[in-house]
């Protein structure tokens, strides 16, 4: 696609429920990133994929959070037993490859509200 | 760990005037990248300008320019001839240049208002 696409745009879920957020990166981009942006804050790194493998998952806050990218394209961020503190905008981004000189392109995010 | 600080939560500027947004960062590395991203209400982070730390020359993109002071660890953004479409949140970000260390570290942002 022309840009990074994220679905759903908005999601309201009840505390304790399971949630999946999807990211479709720019075609041909091998690097994919997930960030979380809480209200009034800058985005915080969660996880980075190079191809199918999670190269760095050091930003995942706990084991309720998990992400996959089985075919090296679309990625899904999975949150189990959601808590009110998980409410945030989840931003996905991609770049042609890894490396600081490559431009990272962001999607419009999935706004998750846990009630 | 790297940190990025934006000390101006909000700024405003008259249309067609110039405004400067401040950013400082802390790192022990010598090779890195610095970025300014714009986030309009659509939530999409849009890259405004990028600076490689090894380059002494300040980056420029049309009406946007930076003042990069490596020794002072300062990276300010100057917007000239401000336009209504420039209104947004602006985030300063740092990224280590080493392949494999891909994390962007963001500041808390500055909300820029353009006064018509």
């Amino acid at each position: 696609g022309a840009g990074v696409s994220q679905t759903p745009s908005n999601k309201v879920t009840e505390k304790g429920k399971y949630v999946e957020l999807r990211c479709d990166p720019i075609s041909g981009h091998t690097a994919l990133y997930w960030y979380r942006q809480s209200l009034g804050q800058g985005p915080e790194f969660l996880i980075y994929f190079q191809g199918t493998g999670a190269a760095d998952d050091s930003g995942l806050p706990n084991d309720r959070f998990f992400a996959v990218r089985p075919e090296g394209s679309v990625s899904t961020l999975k949150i189990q037993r959601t808590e009110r503190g998980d409410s945030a905008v989840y931003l996905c981004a991609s770049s042609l490859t890894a490396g600081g000189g490559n431009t990272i392109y962001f999607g419009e995010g999935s706004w998750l509200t846990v009630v | 760990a790297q940190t990025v600080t934006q000390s101006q939560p909000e700024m405003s500027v008259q249309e067609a005037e110039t405004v400067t947004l401040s950013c400082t960062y802390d790192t022990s590395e010598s090779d890195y990248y610095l970025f300014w991203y714009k986030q309009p209400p659509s939530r999409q982070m849009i890259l405004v300008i990028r600076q490689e730390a090894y380059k002494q020359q300040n980056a420029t993109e049309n009406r946007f320019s930076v003042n990069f002071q490596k020794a002072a660890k300062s990276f300010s953004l100057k917007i000239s001839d401000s336009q209504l479409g420039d209104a947004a949140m602006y985030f300063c970000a740092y990224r280590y240049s080493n392949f494999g260390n891909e994390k962007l570290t963001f500041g808390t942002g500055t909300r820029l208002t353009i006064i018509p």
Side-chain angles (χ1 to χ4, degrees), chain B residues 2-18:
Chain B
Q2 294 78 23
T3 58
V4 177
T5 302
Q6 294 178 251
S7 58
Q8 305 156 315
E10 297 184 355
M11 292 282 285
S12 61
V13 63
Q14 206 81 29
E15 191 177 2
E17 296 296 308
T18 296

Side-chain angles (χ1 to χ4, degrees), chain A residues 27-111:
Chain A
S27 179
H29 281 194
T30 63
L32 184 145
Y33 316 81
W34 284 99
Y35 285 79
R36 178 168 73 172
Q37 186 175 19
S38 301
L39 195 63
Q41 300 296 316
E44 293 180 311
F45 171 81
L46 294 177
I47 187 170
Y48 144 65
F49 288 88
Q50 180 61 48
T52 60
D56 182 357
D57 63 358
S58 62
L60 294 177
N62 51 60
D63 61 6
R64 295 187 297 106
F65 288 74
F66 189 71
V68 295
R69 194 186 185 199
E71 297 178 357
S73 178
V74 170
S75 176
T76 305
L77 178 66
K78 308 181 181 197
I79 310 174
Q80 298 177 322
R81 304 183 305 279
T82 52
E83 300 177 356
R84 293 196 178 88
D86 298 335
S87 296
V89 174
Y90 289 83
L91 294 166
C92 179
S94 70
S95 63
L96 189 60
T97 186
N102 286 283
T103 299
I104 295 178
Y105 298 89
F106 283 82
E108 294 188 352
S110 292
W111 191 346

Side-chain angles (χ1 to χ4, degrees), chain B residues 2 6 27 33-34 38 42 59 61 71 76 79 83 91-92 98 103:
Chain B
Q2 294 78 23
Q6 294 178 251
T27 183
Y33 293 86
L34 295 165
K38 170 185 177 181
S42 69
E61 288 287 344
S76 61
I79 306 174
Q83 300 176 0
F91 291 94
C92 179
N98 193 24
K103 182 171 70 171

Side-chain angles (χ1 to χ4, degrees), chain B residues 2-6 23-29 32-34 53 68-76 92-94 105:
Chain B
Q2 294 78 23
T3 58
V4 177
T5 302
Q6 294 178 251
C23 172
T24 59
Y25 59 94
D26 188 24
T27 183
S28 58
E29 306 296 339
Y32 50 87
Y33 293 86
L34 295 165
F68 173 49
Q69 302 290 328
K70 190 172 184 179
K73 295 180 182 173
S74 170
F75 182 62
S76 61
C92 179
Y94 166 102
T105 301

